Amino acid sequence: MASKNSNSIPLFLSAILGFFAVALGAFGAHGLKSVLTPDLLAIYETGARYHLIHAVVLLVLALSGKLSDSKFRRIGFWLIFSGILIFSGSLYALSLTGIRVLGAITPFGGLAFLTGWASIAYSAFSDKE
């Protein structure tokens, strides 16, 4: 049986990511609407949307109490965590700086999301550890 605090770090991280998703989304909607061009604002909003959706996924995983049951579920958690940082982070940076080459980093975050989801799916049928 997992210890009471085994999900403390994932729960904390998912809650912090959720907090920042809401804060950054509001900042984009209210603070950047008149500053960014429509195309850069759309890029920012894509980052915020994926950030919030995946923060909720991490929260569900952390609250499930099942992270310690499966290596692949834990891997999925950390891949999705990385995906938020890389995918959304690169889109935030691109939209705020206008440096388009930052968009070359974004697919690596998307790949982290995809492999995270695949790892979680695999965990449904893998042996418990």
Side-chain angles (χ1 to χ4, degrees), residues 36-60:
L36 296 181
T37 62
D39 67 314
L40 290 177
L41 185 59
I43 291 168
Y44 186 94
E45 289 172 345
T46 298
R49 182 173 49 256
Y50 276 75
H51 182 165
L52 181 58
I53 290 166
H54 287 89
V56 171
V57 169
L58 295 182
L59 181 63
V60 169

PDB file of all heavy atoms in Angstrom, residues 36-60:
ATOM      1  N   LEU A  36      -0.899  41.954 -28.274  1.00  0.00           N
ATOM      2  CA  LEU A  36      -0.431  40.991 -29.268  1.00  0.00           C
ATOM      3  C   LEU A  36      -1.251  41.084 -30.554  1.00  0.00           C
ATOM      4  O   LEU A  36      -2.433  41.434 -30.523  1.00  0.00           O
ATOM      5  CB  LEU A  36      -0.530  39.564 -28.718  1.00  0.00           C
ATOM      6  CG  LEU A  36       0.336  39.214 -27.512  1.00  0.00           C
ATOM      7  CD1 LEU A  36       0.122  37.754 -27.119  1.00  0.00           C
ATOM      8  CD2 LEU A  36       1.803  39.484 -27.786  1.00  0.00           C
ATOM      9  N   THR A  37      -0.619  40.715 -31.647  1.00  0.00           N
ATOM     10  CA  THR A  37      -1.348  40.605 -32.908  1.00  0.00           C
ATOM     11  C   THR A  37      -2.304  39.413 -32.787  1.00  0.00           C
ATOM     12  O   THR A  37      -2.081  38.522 -31.954  1.00  0.00           O
ATOM     13  CB  THR A  37      -0.376  40.377 -34.083  1.00  0.00           C
ATOM     14  OG1 THR A  37       0.321  39.142 -33.866  1.00  0.00           O
ATOM     15  CG2 THR A  37       0.613  41.530 -34.224  1.00  0.00           C
ATOM     16  N   PRO A  38      -3.356  39.386 -33.594  1.00  0.00           N
ATOM     17  CA  PRO A  38      -4.307  38.264 -33.495  1.00  0.00           C
ATOM     18  C   PRO A  38      -3.655  36.884 -33.655  1.00  0.00           C
ATOM     19  O   PRO A  38      -4.027  35.938 -32.965  1.00  0.00           O
ATOM     20  CB  PRO A  38      -5.304  38.547 -34.625  1.00  0.00           C
ATOM     21  CG  PRO A  38      -5.276  40.035 -34.770  1.00  0.00           C
ATOM     22  CD  PRO A  38      -3.839  40.424 -34.518  1.00  0.00           C
ATOM     23  N   ASP A  39      -2.663  36.762 -34.554  1.00  0.00           N
ATOM     24  CA  ASP A  39      -2.034  35.451 -34.734  1.00  0.00           C
ATOM     25  C   ASP A  39      -1.202  35.058 -33.516  1.00  0.00           C
ATOM     26  O   ASP A  39      -1.204  33.898 -33.100  1.00  0.00           O
ATOM     27  CB  ASP A  39      -1.210  35.385 -36.026  1.00  0.00           C
ATOM     28  CG  ASP A  39       0.004  36.288 -36.010  1.00  0.00           C
ATOM     29  OD1 ASP A  39      -0.122  37.464 -35.617  1.00  0.00           O
ATOM     30  OD2 ASP A  39       1.097  35.811 -36.421  1.00  0.00           O
ATOM     31  N   LEU A  40      -0.491  36.001 -32.906  1.00  0.00           N
ATOM     32  CA  LEU A  40       0.290  35.695 -31.701  1.00  0.00           C
ATOM     33  C   LEU A  40      -0.628  35.416 -30.508  1.00  0.00           C
ATOM     34  O   LEU A  40      -0.329  34.556 -29.683  1.00  0.00           O
ATOM     35  CB  LEU A  40       1.275  36.818 -31.383  1.00  0.00           C
ATOM     36  CG  LEU A  40       2.453  36.962 -32.348  1.00  0.00           C
ATOM     37  CD1 LEU A  40       3.313  38.158 -31.969  1.00  0.00           C
ATOM     38  CD2 LEU A  40       3.282  35.686 -32.390  1.00  0.00           C
ATOM     39  N   LEU A  41      -1.752  36.123 -30.434  1.00  0.00           N
ATOM     40  CA  LEU A  41      -2.707  35.860 -29.360  1.00  0.00           C
ATOM     41  C   LEU A  41      -3.310  34.463 -29.512  1.00  0.00           C
ATOM     42  O   LEU A  41      -3.481  33.744 -28.518  1.00  0.00           O
ATOM     43  CB  LEU A  41      -3.816  36.917 -29.348  1.00  0.00           C
ATOM     44  CG  LEU A  41      -4.813  36.822 -28.187  1.00  0.00           C
ATOM     45  CD1 LEU A  41      -4.105  36.952 -26.838  1.00  0.00           C
ATOM     46  CD2 LEU A  41      -5.880  37.904 -28.320  1.00  0.00           C
ATOM     47  N   ALA A  42      -3.580  34.053 -30.734  1.00  0.00           N
ATOM     48  CA  ALA A  42      -4.105  32.698 -30.974  1.00  0.00           C
ATOM     49  C   ALA A  42      -3.086  31.644 -30.549  1.00  0.00           C
ATOM     50  O   ALA A  42      -3.453  30.614 -29.968  1.00  0.00           O
ATOM     51  CB  ALA A  42      -4.474  32.521 -32.442  1.00  0.00           C
ATOM     52  N   ILE A  43      -1.816  31.897 -30.799  1.00  0.00           N
ATOM     53  CA  ILE A  43      -0.757  30.975 -30.370  1.00  0.00           C
ATOM     54  C   ILE A  43      -0.722  30.903 -28.849  1.00  0.00           C
ATOM     55  O   ILE A  43      -0.640  29.819 -28.261  1.00  0.00           O
ATOM     56  CB  ILE A  43       0.606  31.412 -30.953  1.00  0.00           C
ATOM     57  CG1 ILE A  43       0.622  31.188 -32.465  1.00  0.00           C
ATOM     58  CG2 ILE A  43       1.763  30.695 -30.264  1.00  0.00           C
ATOM     59  CD1 ILE A  43       1.787  31.852 -33.188  1.00  0.00           C
ATOM     60  N   TYR A  44      -0.784  32.049 -28.196  1.00  0.00           N
ATOM     61  CA  TYR A  44      -0.791  32.098 -26.735  1.00  0.00           C
ATOM     62  C   TYR A  44      -1.986  31.314 -26.182  1.00  0.00           C
ATOM     63  O   TYR A  44      -1.851  30.531 -25.248  1.00  0.00           O
ATOM     64  CB  TYR A  44      -0.843  33.556 -26.264  1.00  0.00           C
ATOM     65  CG  TYR A  44      -0.707  33.720 -24.774  1.00  0.00           C
ATOM     66  CD1 TYR A  44       0.524  33.958 -24.195  1.00  0.00           C
ATOM     67  CD2 TYR A  44      -1.819  33.627 -23.932  1.00  0.00           C
ATOM     68  CE1 TYR A  44       0.661  34.106 -22.822  1.00  0.00           C
ATOM     69  CE2 TYR A  44      -1.692  33.764 -22.569  1.00  0.00           C
ATOM     70  CZ  TYR A  44      -0.449  34.000 -22.013  1.00  0.00           C
ATOM     71  OH  TYR A  44      -0.329  34.135 -20.659  1.00  0.00           O
ATOM     72  N   GLU A  45      -3.155  31.535 -26.769  1.00  0.00           N
ATOM     73  CA  GLU A  45      -4.371  30.856 -26.308  1.00  0.00           C
ATOM     74  C   GLU A  45      -4.287  29.350 -26.501  1.00  0.00           C
ATOM     75  O   GLU A  45      -4.807  28.587 -25.671  1.00  0.00           O
ATOM     76  CB  GLU A  45      -5.597  31.434 -27.021  1.00  0.00           C
ATOM     77  CG  GLU A  45      -5.925  32.837 -26.561  1.00  0.00           C
ATOM     78  CD  GLU A  45      -7.003  33.521 -27.380  1.00  0.00           C
ATOM     79  OE1 GLU A  45      -7.332  33.046 -28.502  1.00  0.00           O
ATOM     80  OE2 GLU A  45      -7.520  34.552 -26.908  1.00  0.00           O
ATOM     81  N   THR A  46      -3.636  28.887 -27.553  1.00  0.00           N
ATOM     82  CA  THR A  46      -3.433  27.450 -27.745  1.00  0.00           C
ATOM     83  C   THR A  46      -2.574  26.899 -26.613  1.00  0.00           C
ATOM     84  O   THR A  46      -2.884  25.838 -26.048  1.00  0.00           O
ATOM     85  CB  THR A  46      -2.782  27.164 -29.112  1.00  0.00           C
ATOM     86  OG1 THR A  46      -3.669  27.609 -30.142  1.00  0.00           O
ATOM     87  CG2 THR A  46      -2.492  25.680 -29.289  1.00  0.00           C
ATOM     88  N   GLY A  47      -1.510  27.590 -26.279  1.00  0.00           N
ATOM     89  CA  GLY A  47      -0.669  27.171 -25.165  1.00  0.00           C
ATOM     90  C   GLY A  47      -1.449  27.105 -23.863  1.00  0.00           C
ATOM     91  O   GLY A  47      -1.330  26.136 -23.096  1.00  0.00           O
ATOM     92  N   ALA A  48      -2.260  28.122 -23.606  1.00  0.00           N
ATOM     93  CA  ALA A  48      -3.049  28.159 -22.375  1.00  0.00           C
ATOM     94  C   ALA A  48      -4.088  27.028 -22.333  1.00  0.00           C
ATOM     95  O   ALA A  48      -4.303  26.413 -21.290  1.00  0.00           O
ATOM     96  CB  ALA A  48      -3.737  29.520 -22.232  1.00  0.00           C
ATOM     97  N   ARG A  49      -4.714  26.759 -23.468  1.00  0.00           N
ATOM     98  CA  ARG A  49      -5.726  25.700 -23.528  1.00  0.00           C
ATOM     99  C   ARG A  49      -5.108  24.329 -23.237  1.00  0.00           C
ATOM    100  O   ARG A  49      -5.609  23.581 -22.409  1.00  0.00           O
ATOM    101  CB  ARG A  49      -6.424  25.707 -24.893  1.00  0.00           C
ATOM    102  CG  ARG A  49      -7.523  24.675 -25.023  1.00  0.00           C
ATOM    103  CD  ARG A  49      -8.322  24.794 -26.324  1.00  0.00           C
ATOM    104  NE  ARG A  49      -7.519  24.902 -27.522  1.00  0.00           N
ATOM    105  CZ  ARG A  49      -7.312  26.041 -28.208  1.00  0.00           C
ATOM    106  NH1 ARG A  49      -7.852  27.163 -27.808  1.00  0.00           N
ATOM    107  NH2 ARG A  49      -6.566  26.039 -29.298  1.00  0.00           N
ATOM    108  N   TYR A  50      -4.027  24.013 -23.911  1.00  0.00           N
ATOM    109  CA  TYR A  50      -3.365  22.730 -23.679  1.00  0.00           C
ATOM    110  C   TYR A  50      -2.801  22.648 -22.257  1.00  0.00           C
ATOM    111  O   TYR A  50      -2.823  21.589 -21.635  1.00  0.00           O
ATOM    112  CB  TYR A  50      -2.263  22.495 -24.714  1.00  0.00           C
ATOM    113  CG  TYR A  50      -2.794  21.920 -26.000  1.00  0.00           C
ATOM    114  CD1 TYR A  50      -3.484  22.716 -26.908  1.00  0.00           C
ATOM    115  CD2 TYR A  50      -2.621  20.586 -26.311  1.00  0.00           C
ATOM    116  CE1 TYR A  50      -3.981  22.198 -28.081  1.00  0.00           C
ATOM    117  CE2 TYR A  50      -3.113  20.045 -27.493  1.00  0.00           C
ATOM    118  CZ  TYR A  50      -3.797  20.863 -28.370  1.00  0.00           C
ATOM    119  OH  TYR A  50      -4.294  20.334 -29.527  1.00  0.00           O
ATOM    120  N   HIS A  51      -2.317  23.759 -21.745  1.00  0.00           N
ATOM    121  CA  HIS A  51      -1.801  23.825 -20.378  1.00  0.00           C
ATOM    122  C   HIS A  51      -2.896  23.440 -19.386  1.00  0.00           C
ATOM    123  O   HIS A  51      -2.705  22.558 -18.541  1.00  0.00           O
ATOM    124  CB  HIS A  51      -1.293  25.250 -20.130  1.00  0.00           C
ATOM    125  CG  HIS A  51      -0.689  25.499 -18.800  1.00  0.00           C
ATOM    126  ND1 HIS A  51       0.071  26.611 -18.559  1.00  0.00           N
ATOM    127  CD2 HIS A  51      -0.732  24.838 -17.618  1.00  0.00           C
ATOM    128  CE1 HIS A  51       0.470  26.609 -17.305  1.00  0.00           C
ATOM    129  NE2 HIS A  51      -0.013  25.543 -16.716  1.00  0.00           N
ATOM    130  N   LEU A  52      -4.053  24.085 -19.491  1.00  0.00           N
ATOM    131  CA  LEU A  52      -5.136  23.823 -18.540  1.00  0.00           C
ATOM    132  C   LEU A  52      -5.679  22.397 -18.674  1.00  0.00           C
ATOM    133  O   LEU A  52      -5.876  21.703 -17.668  1.00  0.00           O
ATOM    134  CB  LEU A  52      -6.264  24.835 -18.716  1.00  0.00           C
ATOM    135  CG  LEU A  52      -7.445  24.678 -17.748  1.00  0.00           C
ATOM    136  CD1 LEU A  52      -6.974  24.786 -16.296  1.00  0.00           C
ATOM    137  CD2 LEU A  52      -8.509  25.710 -18.041  1.00  0.00           C
ATOM    138  N   ILE A  53      -5.910  21.950 -19.876  1.00  0.00           N
ATOM    139  CA  ILE A  53      -6.444  20.599 -20.081  1.00  0.00           C
ATOM    140  C   ILE A  53      -5.516  19.563 -19.458  1.00  0.00           C
ATOM    141  O   ILE A  53      -5.956  18.663 -18.730  1.00  0.00           O
ATOM    142  CB  ILE A  53      -6.648  20.304 -21.583  1.00  0.00           C
ATOM    143  CG1 ILE A  53      -7.806  21.131 -22.138  1.00  0.00           C
ATOM    144  CG2 ILE A  53      -6.858  18.812 -21.832  1.00  0.00           C
ATOM    145  CD1 ILE A  53      -7.880  21.167 -23.649  1.00  0.00           C
ATOM    146  N   HIS A  54      -4.232  19.703 -19.706  1.00  0.00           N
ATOM    147  CA  HIS A  54      -3.297  18.697 -19.208  1.00  0.00           C
ATOM    148  C   HIS A  54      -3.011  18.850 -17.714  1.00  0.00           C
ATOM    149  O   HIS A  54      -2.696  17.870 -17.039  1.00  0.00           O
ATOM    150  CB  HIS A  54      -2.033  18.680 -20.066  1.00  0.00           C
ATOM    151  CG  HIS A  54      -2.294  18.058 -21.401  1.00  0.00           C
ATOM    152  ND1 HIS A  54      -2.728  18.798 -22.484  1.00  0.00           N
ATOM    153  CD2 HIS A  54      -2.247  16.775 -21.813  1.00  0.00           C
ATOM    154  CE1 HIS A  54      -2.920  17.981 -23.510  1.00  0.00           C
ATOM    155  NE2 HIS A  54      -2.638  16.748 -23.127  1.00  0.00           N
ATOM    156  N   ALA A  55      -3.151  20.060 -17.173  1.00  0.00           N
ATOM    157  CA  ALA A  55      -3.040  20.224 -15.720  1.00  0.00           C
ATOM    158  C   ALA A  55      -4.176  19.466 -15.032  1.00  0.00           C
ATOM    159  O   ALA A  55      -3.969  18.835 -13.989  1.00  0.00           O
ATOM    160  CB  ALA A  55      -3.070  21.706 -15.340  1.00  0.00           C
ATOM    161  N   VAL A  56      -5.361  19.499 -15.614  1.00  0.00           N
ATOM    162  CA  VAL A  56      -6.498  18.754 -15.067  1.00  0.00           C
ATOM    163  C   VAL A  56      -6.236  17.251 -15.145  1.00  0.00           C
ATOM    164  O   VAL A  56      -6.522  16.503 -14.206  1.00  0.00           O
ATOM    165  CB  VAL A  56      -7.825  19.145 -15.768  1.00  0.00           C
ATOM    166  CG1 VAL A  56      -8.963  18.227 -15.347  1.00  0.00           C
ATOM    167  CG2 VAL A  56      -8.165  20.599 -15.469  1.00  0.00           C
ATOM    168  N   VAL A  57      -5.660  16.802 -16.244  1.00  0.00           N
ATOM    169  CA  VAL A  57      -5.311  15.383 -16.381  1.00  0.00           C
ATOM    170  C   VAL A  57      -4.342  14.981 -15.263  1.00  0.00           C
ATOM    171  O   VAL A  57      -4.520  13.944 -14.616  1.00  0.00           O
ATOM    172  CB  VAL A  57      -4.697  15.091 -17.771  1.00  0.00           C
ATOM    173  CG1 VAL A  57      -4.098  13.695 -17.827  1.00  0.00           C
ATOM    174  CG2 VAL A  57      -5.747  15.267 -18.852  1.00  0.00           C
ATOM    175  N   LEU A  58      -3.327  15.798 -15.026  1.00  0.00           N
ATOM    176  CA  LEU A  58      -2.363  15.492 -13.967  1.00  0.00           C
ATOM    177  C   LEU A  58      -3.036  15.484 -12.599  1.00  0.00           C
ATOM    178  O   LEU A  58      -2.722  14.635 -11.752  1.00  0.00           O
ATOM    179  CB  LEU A  58      -1.214  16.496 -13.981  1.00  0.00           C
ATOM    180  CG  LEU A  58      -0.322  16.472 -15.219  1.00  0.00           C
ATOM    181  CD1 LEU A  58       0.814  17.482 -15.071  1.00  0.00           C
ATOM    182  CD2 LEU A  58       0.221  15.082 -15.490  1.00  0.00           C
ATOM    183  N   LEU A  59      -3.967  16.402 -12.385  1.00  0.00           N
ATOM    184  CA  LEU A  59      -4.690  16.443 -11.114  1.00  0.00           C
ATOM    185  C   LEU A  59      -5.500  15.168 -10.912  1.00  0.00           C
ATOM    186  O   LEU A  59      -5.498  14.576  -9.831  1.00  0.00           O
ATOM    187  CB  LEU A  59      -5.602  17.676 -11.064  1.00  0.00           C
ATOM    188  CG  LEU A  59      -6.401  17.865  -9.777  1.00  0.00           C
ATOM    189  CD1 LEU A  59      -5.468  18.087  -8.586  1.00  0.00           C
ATOM    190  CD2 LEU A  59      -7.357  19.035  -9.924  1.00  0.00           C
ATOM    191  N   VAL A  60      -6.178  14.723 -11.951  1.00  0.00           N
ATOM    192  CA  VAL A  60      -6.959  13.478 -11.871  1.00  0.00           C
ATOM    193  C   VAL A  60      -6.041  12.302 -11.543  1.00  0.00           C
ATOM    194  O   VAL A  60      -6.357  11.467 -10.685  1.00  0.00           O
ATOM    195  CB  VAL A  60      -7.752  13.235 -13.172  1.00  0.00           C
ATOM    196  CG1 VAL A  60      -8.338  11.835 -13.213  1.00  0.00           C
ATOM    197  CG2 VAL A  60      -8.850  14.286 -13.330  1.00  0.00           C
TER     198      VAL A  60
END
